Amino acid sequence: MGLLSRKATCNTHGQDSSYFLGWEEYEKNPYDEIKNPDGIIQMGLAENQLSFDLIESWLDKNPEAANFKREGQSIFRELALFQDYHGLPSFKNAMADFMSENRGNRVSFDPKKLVLTAGATSANETLMFCLANHGDAFLLPTPYYPGFDRDLKWRTGVEIVPIQCTSANGFRITKSALEEAYELAQKLNLKVKGVLITNPSNPLGTTSTRTELNHLVDFVTRKNIHLISDEIYSGTVFTSPGFISVMEVLKEKKLEHTDVFKRVHIVYSLSKDLGLPGFRVGVIYSNDDIVVAAATKMSSFGLISSQTQYLLSALLSDKNFTKNYLKENQIRLKNRHKKLLAGLEAAGIDCLKSNAGLFCWVDMRHLLRSNTFEAEIELWKKIVYEVKLNISPGSSCHCNEPGWFRVCFANMSEQTLKVALNRLKMFVDGQSSTTRSQSEHQRLKSLRKMKVSNWVFRLSFQDREPEER
Amino acid sequence: MFLLASPTTSHSIPTKTLIQDLSLSFSLSPHYSSLRPKSLDFKKKMKQLSTKVTSNGHGQDSSYFLGWEEYEKNPYDEIKNPNGMIQMGLAENQLCFDLIESWLAKNPDAASLKRNGQSIFRELALFQDYHGMPEFKKAMAEFMEEIRGNRVTFDPKKIVLAAGSTSANETLMFCLAEPGDAFLLPTPYYPGFDRDLKWRTGAEIVPIHCSSSNGFQITESALQQAYQQAQKLDLKVKGVLVTNPSNPLGTALTRRELNLLVDFITSKNIHLISDEIYSGTMFGFEQFISVMDVLKDKKLENTDVSKRVHVVYSLSKDLGLPGFRVGAIYSNDEMIVSAATKMSSFGLVSSQTQYLLSALLSDKKFTSQYLEENQKRLKSRQKRLVSGLESAGITCLRSNAGLFCWVDMRHLLDTNTFEAELDLWKKIVYNVKLNISPGSSCHCTEPGWFRVCFANMSEDTLDLALKRLKTFVESTDCGRMISRSSHERLKSLRKKTVSNWVFRVSWSDRVPDER
């Protein structure tokens, strides 16, 4: 063991958790409409499979992009040799424009401040290497994407200190939660280098409010630290309230020529909006040219294949395509989300009201045997083994309240989603009495009529703390 | 604590290609270097960034970049800029693209994201499994076997894909070394290693000094000396890393050297990384001997030491595809394979590219024809460079692989110093208008050696470059004297088949050759 590094022999990559049980079970017994209708349905994968046809049809009409040609001429050699870590200029231009378009052109992005990386996984790790030293900390609101434990901490030695968010206010980031996290870090003797948020949030599926963004900007200003906004899901916002990027807030607060402006960095990727995780396309955007310069050099460790840069620069430069895609993608996500919601409702299950993402943050607290994480894992195992749905337990996302689950809706066919929801309903009906689920269904319908945005509807059959706003 | 660092404000870093070969870092560890008074604001800002950013462990702030900048300002073009600078500092293989292009024309599905006429776009778009595409790993394993004459086998399950060997090497460091641990590397070595192995990992490089006295071969005493040097510096040695065939030497390691290395790491209980990125560029009479061959020959295949030998490969040099970012780690240690696989998340190979290349490399007719033709063309190109240099009275280390020659210009130095080397280099860049790589950037211990690439331009361009060089040499005093007489001497020396020896052209005292 002394021959390998601690990184190789430890499990900070976080992949030894029992969480992987669900994955393994799915692999052993994957659902197939025809060949394996009783198999496990994968609802733990935040993939966007809804709009491939739009890309496929573009590819059919534009065969040059994949065939190394430009205006009839072969550019194979040029691409084969292109390894400049500054990236293909046409691709960076197209990405900058696409990011702008995603924000309704309310802000613009300078291609020279973009750094290309092999996916957001690489982008986030690179930013950590640039902004933090071994032992420094970043504050992250919980619940958060489980992958951050590996991406932000593993090889960088950086620590994550959670900003606790609760269902009491729809998991919104509050000023006091920020301060508490900062103090906790200090107690742990960790130097806080910044805050990292995912906006829209994974796993919540909600966009940050202007209030939250203002709190965050004020906080990082006061503490003289960084703010990373991972906006990987920015193109998946399907309903109001719309998407507000931290860049917009900086613009509104007229902070563009101040110090704090240089401490706000955005991460983006094409893995969720365009559904292309296999192509490994990520981006860091920073107003700090030292960070851009360093991250650019670091991108050597994860450059995007020139073959892929070329294909996607052609795709994204086609404004007809991007406009139509973004619009259609949103419509389809909205519909799919609605279907999930309705199906859950019919099973007496509620979720956090969301307007983005490829998943819902589902409230199954009423199905827990006890208000504990053990009970959550128990329930989760039942759902994996008996209901045969692979969903993600909230504890894997560091949620501090048991009973929440992330359920994906964009990575399967409509038919499969229906099957999954049916199974869930049958399970729930089997768990509690039929009458309870019917009365809950009524209560939910009436609660919905009260326009209470982002509140959690509690289905409690045990004592709970009263909601606060 | 304030970190004073040289400001890494935007250099006019060449846009054409990646700075693989250009870092010039003399520092032993990636910490702050030049001290200059800085404004309070700047200091405050530096505190907010990591030491990795504010130091220059990436190694790219050297004056070496002058050559690159000059090239970018004034690049040679046969028609548009015939007096421009010729790029001879880029180890690219541009000799066999036609073979790949013709394959692509005959096999359109591979690039069009189709299989048997059916679109597999969705499948590829979603494929992000860090275990890599099975067909691709299989094709890579077989290609690696083919390059080694099928004398050894590679198990696809022991391959970890990475975004280029840049990523592969760094990942191996993360797996094998803690910050502050050291790896021993024979000099001269690829300048990029200073960044790839040290920058973000915190690992250190301790040189194994090789000299021209024996053709820069690795000796047992050099290994021991390097090990002791590391101990003196209080650094824990975790392994040795060699590039075989060597960059910048262009020579393949001899069986003797490989045996030495395997014995050494066995006795010290450390790792051996063999970066075999140039294995497919071997054009000499000799066969390429991989460290895997040696393990097999010494019957060490299932021993402890075989688990400490790791091979790095890439398609950037053999196939000339650096833009596609295809690298691989091969290890017999399953813990390393497992850890490196997870780490590869930070630099996966695009599924679009994996698919294209799995189709290409699975075509055995293509691979066998390609390897043969590639070697032929490299050999003839190298010959052209060598004879052109010879007619200018310049010799180089006898080479049998690679995309460059290790050229001896010691006789053109004013003094036997690195300052003189840099002076000469600047003359060659500014006056002769050739961008070549000075040996000091490769940590060579002897001044006067330069790496000159031959496979990244057309034959005509190479001829022109050689002409310019000849003109330059003849314009210098010693050049005129030497070029005539040494040309004869060289011709007679060549008749004695002395492999890997340096032919010295000395008019100053030199240490006598040793073998």
Side-chain angles (χ1 to χ4, degrees), chain A residues 29-32 36-43 347 383-390 416-430:
Chain A
N29 183 21
Y31 172 83
D32 182 284
N36 189 17
D38 292 325
I40 296 181
I41 296 175
Q42 177 64 279
M43 303 189 91
I383 294 179
V384 168
Y385 288 109
E386 296 171 21
V387 192
K388 299 230 179 53
L389 304 178
N390 185 32
T416 306
L417 180 60
K418 247 197 197 143
V419 172
L421 291 167
N422 269 341
R423 288 185 189 177
L424 194 54
K425 182 170 198 316
M426 288 191 331
F427 168 73
V428 170
D429 288 348

Side-chain angles (χ1 to χ4, degrees), chain A residues 388-407:
Chain A
K388 299 230 179 53
L389 304 178
N390 185 32
I391 61 178
S392 313
S395 46
S396 69
C397 304
H398 303 276
C399 186
N400 60 11
E401 302 173 25
W404 293 88
F405 290 79
R406 190 192 75 168
V407 178

Side-chain angles (χ1 to χ4, degrees), chain B residues 455-482:
Chain B
N456 66 303
M457 75 283 282
S458 72
E459 219 172 74
D460 286 340
T461 306
L462 179 60
D463 287 345
L464 174 62
L466 291 165
K467 225 162 112 207
R468 288 185 187 177
L469 194 55
K470 186 171 201 292
T471 309
F472 166 73
V473 168
E474 284 173 352
S475 73
T476 69
D477 284 336
C478 52
R480 253 187 308 254
M481 222 170 36
I482 283 160

Side-chain angles (χ1 to χ4, degrees), chain B residues 496-509:
Chain B
K496 311 195 284 191
T497 37
V498 181
S499 62
N500 286 334
W501 277 42
V502 169
F503 301 108
R504 296 250 186 76
V505 179
S506 59
W507 69 90
S508 57
D509 283 348

Side-chain angles (χ1 to χ4, degrees), chain A residues 32-74:
Chain A
D32 182 284
E33 206 177 330
I34 295 157
K35 294 184 246 171
N36 189 17
D38 292 325
I40 296 181
I41 296 175
Q42 177 64 279
M43 303 189 91
L45 211 39
E47 287 174 346
N48 181 359
Q49 296 191 24
L50 304 189
S51 304
F52 280 139
D53 58 312
L54 302 177
I55 302 179
E56 281 166 335
S57 103
W58 185 93
L59 287 171
D60 278 338
K61 297 197 207 104
N62 300 272
E64 289 201 332
N67 286 308
F68 303 106
K69 290 202 174 78
R70 185 196 287 134
E71 283 154 24
Q73 300 285 72
S74 171

